[in-house]
Amino acid sequence: MSDDRKQLPRVDLPPDVRLDTLAVREGLPPSAWGENSEALFLTSSFVHPDAATAAARFANEEEAFVYSRFSNPTVTMMERRLAALEGTQACIATSSGMSAIGLIVLGLLKSGDHIVCSRSVFGSTIKLLGGEFARFGVQTTFVSQTDAAEWRDAMQPNTKLLLAESPTNPLTDVCDIASLAQIARAAGALLAVDNCFCSPALQKPAALGADLINHSGTKYLDGQGRVIAGAVCGSQALIDEKLVPMMRSLGMSLSPFNAWVVLKGLETLSIRMRAHCERALELARWLETQPQVSRVHYPGLESHPQHALAMAQQSGQGGAVVSFTLGGADADGARRRAFHVIDSTRICSITANLGDTKTTITHPSSTSHGRLTETQRLAAGIDQGLVRVAVGLDDVEDIKADLLRGLAAL
Ligand SMILES: Cc1ncc(COP(=O)(O)O)c(C=O)c1O
């Protein structure tokens, strides 16, 4: 299949078109009907003219789509478009952001291998690496998100993968991707970066030296809270030789329908991200002036510890996620205050998802990071007073008023 995927025809575009054009046009050529909006190929399998052709296609001797667990035209279009945006040769779509991480580990590592990962990444990633994969003999050392020396010190002769996420969910800590890429390269390991929070509209980890970029397409790539999706971008060799065979065996493929939704989402990614970031910066600045708020976590603020790095790494943008801490209480009191602010909103959607046009609000300690132990949570810096807002495309003045309702009553 791998060679087939390379040989499939491309959309006929001049070689030097820019990113915004690729975002709306990269994919496969239209079908015989000449549709302008990309077709949705909702089919599980593809028909062969005769048995000999089927045999040749199954043996990878002839280029064709065979079965949608392996590949599908709509999924291929989405993969090509995302690879173009990330600046990588190839991409493989997965059923979710978590299965993208699972595919990287299962495709590249074996029992006895070792991973280094930040201790402040998304809660399910910590669970997957520290729990599930540890059971299969792949051990992970969790280190500081921001101290590259800790990553270097954690390297072992059997370290095969460094897994970073920047900015992190929910504290928006930023790691230096180029430094981590150097550490990985010096040790003959690979660096994978979860680019979920920034998307390629803001941050291109491949240009900073990352080998693989993983996504939860559920977030900004879809951008409208409709589907669960994921993807891994990287070199043609890594994707075709290591990840495609594992995908064919395990079947964590993305459904054509979900791929089509993400494909169309990518067309508006860059203008959506600009609008999200503008609103998020405005909200973060306002939150800093609220007396009940002890700390605002947002890379776009000058007060953020890695502000300069974030601005250099993220096209001068802070992203769309703003977290804030309600101070002045013990753990139980902080939780009550956080719940009060969340429950006083009438516009924000109380949900742990992010990357939606609708602004979402959540209490990370009891939702996205609720499956972690208290020790893991505190190691990740997530306390009971923390509230995360993923700023959507609502009018930011309405979001301020929504939060003020709860804050003013504390
Ligand atoms: C940074 C990050 N990575 C991965 C995931 C997992 O994505 P999915 O829910 O699509 O499996 C999430 C989900 O919130 C996330 O925030």
Side-chain angles (χ1 to χ4, degrees):
M1 260 339 266
S2 53
D3 282 337
D4 299 349
R5 292 155 69 99
K6 270 183 280 178
Q7 289 160 17
L8 289 167
R10 304 200 80 89
V11 181
D12 185 20
L13 292 172
D16 50 357
V17 289
R18 293 168 180 78
L19 223 57
D20 282 355
T21 308
L22 289 170
V24 295
R25 295 190 183 272
E26 179 61 290
L28 290 169
S31 77
W33 308 114
E35 66 280 354
N36 189 36
S37 176
E38 292 76 4
L40 167 52
F41 290 91
L42 207 49
T43 177
S44 17
S45 72
F46 299 82
V47 177
H48 315 287
D50 49 56
T53 308
R57 289 175 177 177
F58 269 83
N60 287 338
E61 290 160 10
E62 185 184 313
E63 170 187 22
F65 290 102
V66 171
Y67 189 54
S68 288
R69 171 154 51 80
F70 313 160
S71 62
N72 169 286
T74 312
V75 178
T76 299
M77 283 194 267
M78 189 225 104
E79 291 169 340
R80 285 188 168 181
R81 199 166 281 183
L82 184 57
L85 296 183
E86 285 290 3
T88 58
Q89 291 171 338
C91 168
I92 183 165
T94 58
S95 57
S96 69
M98 289 317 300
S99 63
I101 299 170
L103 181 62
I104 291 174
V105 176
L106 290 165
L108 293 167
L109 277 70
K110 60 181 185 327
S111 174
D113 286 343
H114 176 249
I115 300 173
V116 182
C117 179
S118 158
R119 67 174 69 92
S120 30
V121 294
F122 178 52
S124 294
T125 307
I126 295 176
K127 234 12 207 176
L128 179 67
L129 300 183
E132 268 68 76
F133 282 126
R135 277 196 298 125
F136 292 94
V138 174
Q139 300 299 329
T140 300
T141 303
F142 292 98
V143 295
S144 154
Q145 166 78 358
T146 53
D147 183 357
E150 264 197 44
W151 292 72
R152 197 174 297 112
D153 293 347
M155 299 297 286
Q156 301 176 8
N158 58 342
T159 305
K160 295 286 160 48
L161 181 70
L162 281 71
L163 196 72
E165 177 188 308
S166 190
T168 52
N169 181 4
L171 287 174
T172 72
D173 290 332
V174 175
C175 65
D176 185 340
I177 295 173
S179 297
L180 299 188
Q182 275 173 10
I183 295 170
R185 189 143 309 131
L190 297 173
L191 171 65
V193 175
D194 187 326
N195 202 20
C196 170
F197 265 42
C198 277
S199 90
L202 305 187
Q203 175 170 276
K204 295 209 177 44
L208 299 167
D211 302 284
L212 293 164
I213 298 102
N214 56 289
H215 273 286
S216 167
T218 317
K219 309 299 185 302
Y220 297 100
L221 305 188
D222 164 17
Q224 289 156 79
R226 299 168 293 191
V227 297
I228 302 287
V232 183
C233 299
S235 70
Q236 197 83 52
L238 272 180
I239 301 283
D240 286 356
E241 288 160 26
K242 303 289 184 188
L243 303 191
V244 168
M246 184 55 73
M247 166 69 82
R248 283 187 76 158
S249 300
L250 269 182
M252 62 268 262
S253 0
L254 184 61
S255 89
F257 181 81
N258 288 5
W260 182 80
V261 171
V262 173
L263 176 76
K264 302 309 282 180
L266 289 177
E267 296 185 358
T268 55
L269 177 67
S270 126
I271 54 170
R272 276 189 286 106
M273 288 311 287
R274 235 174 285 149
H276 280 297
C277 291
E278 265 171 38
R279 287 161 171 77
L281 180 59
E282 168 73 27
L283 186 75
R285 289 213 164 113
W286 175 81
L287 280 166
E288 273 197 318
T289 67
Q290 300 308 302
Q292 305 85 352
V293 172
S294 60
R295 177 134 183 236
V296 183
H297 309 263
Y298 183 66
L301 291 175
E302 291 73 14
S303 58
H304 189 284
Q306 298 97 39
H307 173 68
L309 172 63
M311 292 302 98
Q313 206 164 257
Q314 302 175 192
S315 316
Q317 303 286 338
V321 176
V322 181
S323 293
F324 58 95
T325 308
L326 297 163
D330 59 14
D332 284 349
R335 184 183 173 102
R336 266 197 305 278
R337 288 155 72 88
F339 277 25
H340 172 76
V341 170
I342 292 169
D343 291 344
S344 302
T345 59
R346 286 166 53 192
I347 295 172
C348 293
S349 310
I350 304 176
T351 171
N353 195 26
L354 60 99
D356 199 324
T357 50
K358 297 178 172 66
T359 300
T360 66
I361 189 163
T362 196
H363 180 244
S365 185
S366 57
T367 59
S368 57
H369 291 66
R371 288 197 300 157
L372 299 188
T373 63
E374 187 67 6
T375 315
Q376 284 173 318
R377 247 195 316 271
L378 291 177
I382 296 163
D383 61 33
Q384 296 293 336
L386 187 73
V387 176
R388 190 197 74 194
V389 178
V391 182
L393 301 181
D394 303 279
D395 190 308
V396 69
E397 296 305 321
D398 289 334
I399 300 307
K400 287 181 194 170
D402 217 28
L403 295 175
L404 189 58
R405 202 173 298 114
L407 286 173
L410 287 181

